[in-house]
Amino acid sequence: MANDLLFAVFNAAAFGMAIFVVAAGLTLIFGLMRLLNMAQGGFFMIGAYTSYSVMGRDVQSLGMFLFAALVGGVVVALLGLVTDKLVLRRLRHVDPHYVLIATFALMMVCTGATKLIWGVDFFSVNPPPGLDQPLNPFGMFFSAYQIFVIVAGVLVYALLEVAIHRMWFGKLMQALAADPWMSGVLGLNVSFGIALSVMASFLLAGLAGGLLLPNQSLSTGLGDSYLMYAFFAVIIGGLGNIRGAFIGSLVLGLVQSLNTVLLPSVPGLAIYVVLAAFLLWKPSGLFPAVGAHSESGPEAHGTGLLHRPRISRSVWQVLGVATVGVLATLPLWVNAGPLYVVGTVLVQVVFALSWNILFGYTGLVSFGHAGFFALGAYLAALALRHIAGVPFLGVLGGAALLGAAAAWVVGVLALRRMSGVFLAVLTVALAEALRLIIGFSTLLGREDGITDIPRPALNFGLLRIDLASSNAYYWFLLVATVLITAFLWWLLHSRFGRTLQTVRQDAERAAFMGTNVASYRLAAFVISGAVAALAGALYAPWSRIVTVEEVHWLASAQPMLNTLLGGVGSFWGPVVGAGLFATITYATRTLVGLSELIVGAGLLAIILLAPNGAVGLWRSLEERLWGRRAPRTSEPGKSPPLVAPVGELKAGGAR
């Protein structure tokens, strides 16, 4: 019994320190710049690949192993300096939600560059001589490499503790974190301090990639799991606090070790459950960061003004009807491949519209929205596979109710206590927990998912419509998408939608004016979850296969990308973005690595140069083409404004 306990503690320490060496750089950059860098996992991966290129698969000595890891750290530090000059500096005063999405795009760039340079094959690295043999103290066997990881983690923590709290570098970083403007007034070199801190953060990420190489297979998905656990450690410990990240990493290691012993059938699940419970109990973390900040609202990235369209609504309505007409004719003149892509885009339109209800209209962000999508998809798959003659419209309604119920539970527990980054992390933790449950569920097909999903038939008594063929189900998808989009347009342009925008712009003022902010946010969350689940239920018969990948946290990024690409400030932004994203992805589908690189770079360009997306660019073009000529006014010498404050127009900000 004592031996088992000792092994559990040893494994907990090894796993926790592996997390900490990744979380250290993430904590450092947040403590200074308030940037929760999702690209940290991508740079961790680049550091690992760089170290592998130096040392090879069979490293000759411990010295060569440490040298290769250091080279990886230095290369990533230099990349961090370039990244800071090109990207991070532009994100310092941007809404935290956009920062998360922009750094996610940067992670896509890292993944694409890695595929282009090193390919997509898996590699493995053996521990160096001296660390490849087990140790046998007191008749017990311990991995020498895991002991090395524990020592490395403790050493990194000790160095950072001394550097931050005892040395000039740490004092400079704390001053910059607390008040960069006042630091500059007092004569501190703000630019130098920030550049030095960014390089240190990226150096730690690259160094961690090299040191942890023998701990796992080297692949282009290497950074994902470590990034997620590092996020969790940082959240538990407190954003920007090194001591908190160290303790948070040990907590995760202990939870993982206990999970392995007590619940071996579902490994990893306990971490997500504990994180969700912790966020609900103490969302600010164990230790507050120096100069803790309050998140700015989404309006920080926008103008707070409305656009007056120069092309009449009737023209756009005609173009919309014509577009739907063209889409309706696609089965008559395109083959199955492009038709499947277009049908999938229709599903993604509904999915993106559901996410935009939260972010674009309410100011909330969900990084686990794929969980609601998966609930609807698996419900439809099970019903169609196991219940003969089940009414498909009833299945769609059941999926919407299931998504609404799940969103209501999450919203009731979370929305009153957290928002911003913390809500985003909670939703992704819950989605990942659902992914693990699905992956170990025999009923849900485990990792293989549910296949051969039959397409339904609509039975209206005297009229029966068979949707078994691709063409028939595509037409049904098109009709369903148009109806759902029309309903959401009506809802979000009603009094309810206008109130959501008021809450998004200034929740405190809205509450002062008598709006029940909590109730409106919860209602938006429930509607968003219902529509996302409905999108999943529509997708299952179309793809005829539903797998655990539908609920992966990377799948939750799809509606974000579509929404931002099209434009958050417009109802039609997600629709335009889904079409553009599908076009780019389809055009680059055969280019290994280039697809991620193009999409990631394009999304970064949108965030940095055109945050209002494609629709925003069009509106700017309208103002340039038609806005120069001042319209006639009733008062000589005065012109009416081209835009008006959001609160003064009935139509709201999304057209």
Side-chain angles (χ1 to χ4, degrees):
M1 183 66 181
N3 289 348
D4 292 340
L5 180 61
L6 186 59
F7 270 118
V9 172
F10 174 76
N11 290 331
F15 185 74
M17 289 303 94
I19 294 173
F20 175 72
V21 294
V22 182
L26 189 66
T27 304
L28 195 63
I29 196 171
F30 186 90
L32 175 68
M33 299 172 61
R34 299 294 182 256
L35 294 179
L36 200 51
N37 182 19
M38 289 196 68
Q40 197 81 359
F43 287 101
F44 166 84
M45 178 178 62
I46 291 176
Y49 271 96
T50 303
S51 300
Y52 174 80
S53 299
V54 174
M55 72 175 74
R57 178 177 179 179
D58 297 309
V59 61
Q60 300 300 315
S61 65
L62 178 60
M64 174 58 71
F65 175 72
L66 296 176
F67 173 75
L70 183 60
V71 170
V74 171
V75 169
V76 172
L78 295 176
L79 289 176
L81 183 62
V82 175
T83 302
D84 177 57
K85 291 183 178 296
L86 296 179
V87 179
L88 298 183
R89 288 186 181 182
R90 301 171 181 264
L91 299 176
R92 287 171 192 166
H93 304 291
V94 172
D95 183 290
H97 304 126
Y98 284 90
V99 173
L100 286 175
I101 299 168
T103 53
F104 177 83
L106 189 57
M107 184 182 71
M108 293 184 68
V109 172
C110 292
T111 302
T114 302
K115 288 182 178 180
L116 285 175
I117 297 173
W118 286 284
V120 295
D121 294 332
F122 283 72
F123 303 97
S124 61
V125 175
N126 298 319
L131 300 180
D132 56 349
Q133 299 296 326
L135 301 180
N136 187 21
F138 312 110
M140 300 174 61
F141 289 91
F142 295 97
S143 166
Y145 175 73
Q146 287 186 311
I147 294 176
F148 168 79
V149 171
I150 294 174
V151 173
V154 173
L155 183 61
V156 168
Y157 169 69
L159 291 175
L160 289 176
E161 182 72 17
V162 172
I164 292 175
H165 297 284
R166 297 286 185 268
M167 297 179 64
W168 66 270
F169 167 79
K171 302 297 183 183
L172 174 62
M173 194 192 79
Q174 291 185 52
L176 293 177
D179 195 332
W181 181 82
M182 183 58 69
S183 300
V185 171
L186 294 176
L188 296 178
N189 192 329
V190 176
S191 299
F192 173 75
I194 290 178
L196 194 62
S197 299
V198 169
M199 290 186 68
S201 171
F202 279 76
L203 173 68
L204 289 172
L207 184 65
L211 293 178
L212 297 179
L213 258 182
N215 217 33
Q216 68 283 303
S217 297
L218 184 59
S219 69
T220 54
L222 173 64
D224 295 347
S225 58
Y226 275 104
L227 172 66
M228 190 60 58
Y229 288 137
F231 261 122
F232 295 168
V234 169
I235 291 293
I236 290 175
L239 293 173
N241 192 294
I242 291 293
R243 295 172 184 173
F246 184 77
I247 295 175
S249 300
L250 289 177
V251 169
L252 291 180
L254 180 61
V255 170
Q256 174 71 1
S257 182
L258 292 176
N259 190 166
T260 303
V261 174
L262 302 177
L263 197 61
S265 59
V266 191
L269 178 63
I271 285 183
Y272 301 104
V273 175
V274 168
L275 176 70
F278 185 87
L279 282 172
L280 295 172
W281 168 59
K282 198 174 181 63
S284 59
L286 293 174
F287 303 98
V290 176
H293 73 304
S294 60
E295 295 179 17
S296 58
E299 70 276 8
H301 207 299
T303 62
L305 300 175
L306 275 183
H307 167 76
R308 175 177 294 178
R310 298 297 172 176
I311 299 179
S312 66
R313 177 173 294 180
S314 59
V315 174
W316 288 115
Q317 289 172 344
V318 171
L319 290 176
V321 171
T323 301
V324 173
V326 171
L327 291 176
T329 66
L330 287 184
L332 305 178
W333 54 277
V334 300
N335 56 36
L339 186 67
Y340 178 80
V341 172
V342 175
T344 305
V345 171
L346 294 176
V347 174
Q348 288 298 327
V349 164
V350 177
F351 192 24
L353 286 171
S354 74
W355 189 81
N356 198 38
I357 295 172
L358 290 182
F359 187 56
Y361 283 83
T362 319
L364 302 174
V365 63
S366 168
F367 263 45
H369 222 54
F372 301 116
F373 184 91
L375 286 176
Y378 272 93
L379 176 65
L382 289 174
L384 293 173
R385 277 289 305 270
H386 300 292
I387 304 177
V390 61
F392 187 55
L393 295 182
V395 171
L396 295 179
L401 289 176
L402 179 61
W408 182 83
V409 172
V410 175
V412 166
L413 294 175
L415 291 180
R416 293 181 182 273
R417 297 183 55 82
M418 65 186 69
S419 61
V421 170
F422 301 102
L423 180 62
V425 173
L426 175 66
T427 54
V428 76
L430 294 175
E432 285 295 292
L434 177 62
R435 183 178 68 86
L436 287 176
I437 292 173
I438 292 173
F440 289 96
S441 171
T442 303
L443 175 64
L444 301 179
R446 297 180 179 270
E447 296 289 338
D448 295 331
I450 301 177
T451 59
D452 297 325
I453 301 171
R455 288 184 178 144
L458 302 179
N459 197 337
F460 299 104
L462 297 178
L463 176 63
R464 185 178 186 276
I465 303 176
D466 190 0
L467 303 179
S469 69
S470 297
N471 290 354
Y473 194 81
Y474 169 81
W475 279 316
F476 173 78
L477 261 183
L478 180 60
V479 172
T481 302
V482 170
L483 292 177
I484 294 170
T485 302
F487 169 75
L488 292 178
W489 190 94
W490 169 80
L491 179 69
L492 295 175
H493 286 76
S494 67
R495 181 179 179 181
F496 175 78
R498 296 195 297 272
T499 304
L500 288 183
Q501 292 186 70
T502 303
V503 171
R504 181 187 194 274
Q505 292 170 14
D506 196 329
E508 292 184 4
R509 181 177 297 179
F512 179 77
M513 298 298 293
T515 300
N516 191 332
V517 172
S519 296
Y520 272 93
R521 282 177 170 170
L522 179 60
F525 205 78
V526 168
I527 294 171
S528 177
V531 177
L534 184 58
L538 290 170
Y539 175 73
W542 178 243
S543 65
R544 305 198 66 183
I545 179 173
V546 176
T547 68
V548 72
E549 293 303 314
E550 309 301 341
V551 74
H552 194 277
W553 69 278
L554 293 176
S556 294
Q558 188 65 58
M560 304 178 202
L561 300 178
N562 292 337
T563 302
L564 284 170
L565 186 60
V568 173
S570 167
F571 174 85
W572 299 106
V575 179
V576 175
L580 290 176
F581 186 86
T583 301
I584 296 172
T585 304
Y586 188 76
T588 60
R589 66 192 185 282
T590 59
L591 305 175
V592 177
L594 198 57
S595 177
E596 292 92 341
L597 197 60
I598 292 175
V599 173
L603 185 59
L604 261 181
I606 290 170
I607 294 291
L608 298 177
L609 304 177
N612 292 321
V615 174
L617 287 176
W618 171 254
R619 290 176 173 177
S620 299
L621 182 61
E622 277 191 312
E623 295 297 337
R624 290 185 180 183
L625 293 178
W626 292 287
R628 299 178 184 273
R629 186 178 303 171
R632 296 179 180 178
T633 61
S634 56
E635 298 183 39
K638 291 187 178 181
S639 299
L642 296 177
V643 291
V646 172
E648 296 179 6
L649 290 184
K650 295 182 179 180
R655 294 181 181 274

